Amino acid sequence: MKKAKRLCEGDTIGIVSPASPSENKSEVTRGIETLEAMGYQVKVGRNVNKRKGFVAATEEERAEDINQMFRDDTVDAIFVTQGGYGSAQLFDKLNFNAIASNPKIFTGFSDITSLHLAMNKMAGLVTFHGPGMARFNKEDLTPYTEKQFFKALESTEPLGEIPLADEKKWLNPIGKGKCQGTLIGGNLTLICASLGTPYEIETKGRILLIEDVDTEPWIFDHMLCHLRNAGKLQEAAGIIVGECKNCVPFKYEPGFLVDTSLEDVLEYYLSPLGIPVLYGLPLGHTDDLATIPLGVLAELDCGQKTFRILENGVV
């Protein structure tokens, strides 16, 4: 896997919007001011502040911003503004040869999972599952998120154990045992959407990361069933499930009558696999979010209830 050089103070960060537009343009302005105050230079993609329905710009414009940032020798890292919807529209317009030839830090999560999977598979690039630039302001960037973000991008040492953000929270070992494998995955909805395409997720012998948000347990069940039917769960060496915010039966007008919790669904599909499965780390749509590299060696230990990154993500 290709790795980018580590982020250093004074580096130039390129900003792109591969998916949905920012609710307000001031979110981008606030993020720029925050990064500049931290000592970085910022270059904004030409189409970042455009809007075209529920996506930030046309497919061609959004893809060209990404291609241009990878080709631009003055850009050291690429941050997305946010996720939302639309990243998968860009696959056939991305220059994966240019991405592979110019390895750079690329960060994001949620809908950006589509791009992580594509860049991992088509360009062999280590990317980073972490917050978008919309969080980079004093109101939304928690101390935990900030610390784990820059630790992942600035140090050439392996991240090591991913800690809980709140000591009062608890990790649930759904499976047993210990495993090592290359880390892959992200948002469950986008992982399922990759199946049957050239960008389909490969889980054989790997540690699979899954998380989602605002998803009723019966829909979570549907997606895990889909992955099981595709053989993806059975091939994994282990599974790490992030905190899944608001993944409960909806109180009013639920999509389907349910009396089952998300934990019940996870146990039903993941416990019979006989592999290590750990549930509850801050790796999803929560205020505190740990940034982790995708495409590197990791270790999952259910006995110790630990998840460790064993390989450096940058050089």
Side-chain angles (χ1 to χ4, degrees):
M1 296 292 292
K2 301 174 182 67
K3 299 176 182 177
K5 73 177 184 68
R6 72 185 185 93
L7 189 66
C8 299
E9 187 174 339
D11 279 352
T12 297
I13 296 169
I15 306 300
V16 296
S17 290
S20 295
S22 299
E23 182 176 353
N24 297 297
K25 292 181 180 180
S26 61
E27 291 180 6
V28 178
T29 304
R30 292 174 75 188
I32 293 171
E33 290 180 354
T34 300
L35 290 172
E36 288 178 340
M38 292 176 173
Y40 301 102
Q41 301 180 67
V42 179
K43 180 175 287 191
V44 181
R46 289 193 303 172
N47 301 292
V48 160
N49 283 319
K50 290 186 177 180
R51 289 175 180 268
K52 184 175 174 56
F54 38 67
V55 293
T58 68
E59 296 179 13
E60 291 77 12
E61 288 170 332
R62 286 177 284 140
E64 182 51 32
D65 275 357
I66 295 174
N67 291 334
Q68 178 58 34
M69 289 298 180
F70 274 100
R71 291 193 300 257
D72 189 338
D73 291 336
T74 69
V75 172
D76 301 291
I78 303 169
F79 294 1
V80 305
T81 51
Q82 64 174 42
Y85 171 76
S87 297
Q89 296 175 341
L90 311 184
F91 288 165
D92 63 346
K93 299 171 181 65
L94 292 176
N95 187 336
F96 290 110
N97 288 331
I99 293 171
S101 300
N102 302 280
K104 296 180 182 182
I105 290 170
F106 181 83
T107 71
F109 81 116
S110 193
D111 189 74
I112 308 303
T113 294
S114 295
L115 296 177
H116 290 313
L117 295 177
M119 290 181 185
N120 180 279
K121 190 167 188 176
M122 309 305 286
L125 179 66
V126 170
T127 57
F128 291 83
H129 185 274
M133 201 194 70
R135 291 198 188 202
F136 277 73
N137 58 75
K138 293 180 180 179
E139 186 176 3
D140 298 315
L141 189 63
T142 70
Y144 177 91
T145 301
E146 180 178 356
K147 177 182 177 181
Q148 294 300 123
F149 183 81
F150 287 104
K151 182 180 179 181
L153 303 188
E154 292 181 340
S155 175
T156 58
E157 297 296 319
L159 269 177
E161 183 175 347
I162 304 302
L164 283 169
D166 185 345
E167 293 181 356
K168 295 188 293 293
K169 293 194 174 184
W170 185 75
L171 292 176
N172 182 5
I174 294 174
K176 297 180 179 180
K178 178 179 177 180
C179 71
Q180 292 185 2
T182 300
L183 181 63
I184 192 69
N187 183 264
L188 181 58
T189 299
L190 281 306
I191 290 172
C192 288
S194 76
L195 301 182
T197 73
Y199 315 95
E200 179 172 307
I201 189 169
E202 301 292 344
T203 62
K204 188 173 183 178
R206 299 186 176 192
I207 295 178
L208 173 63
L209 164 67
I210 60 175
E211 65 85 28
D212 222 308
V213 62
D214 298 332
T215 302
E216 290 191 77
W218 75 268
I219 301 176
F220 224 104
D221 184 291
H222 157 70
M223 292 191 288
L224 288 180
C225 180
H226 191 42
L227 286 185
R228 186 181 68 179
N229 289 341
K232 298 300 180 179
L233 297 181
Q234 301 90 320
E235 291 181 341
I239 299 175
I240 182 79
V241 184
E243 287 186 73
C244 296
K245 185 177 180 180
N246 198 32
C247 289
V248 297
F250 293 168
K251 294 181 180 179
Y252 311 104
E253 300 182 5
F256 189 79
L257 181 61
V258 290
D259 58 2
T260 301
S261 71
L262 174 60
E263 189 172 293
D264 293 329
V265 173
L266 294 175
E267 289 179 351
Y268 179 81
Y269 284 97
L270 305 183
S271 183
L273 297 174
I275 61 175
V277 180
L278 190 61
Y279 168 39
L281 279 170
L283 298 170
H285 290 71
T286 49
D287 292 338
D288 293 308
L289 172 62
T291 297
I292 54 175
L294 300 171
V296 302
L297 185 66
E299 179 185 84
L300 179 57
D301 189 333
C302 285
Q304 297 296 318
K305 295 203 287 190
T306 56
F307 176 57
R308 294 184 174 90
I309 304 298
L310 303 180
E311 182 182 352
N312 56 307
V314 290
V315 294

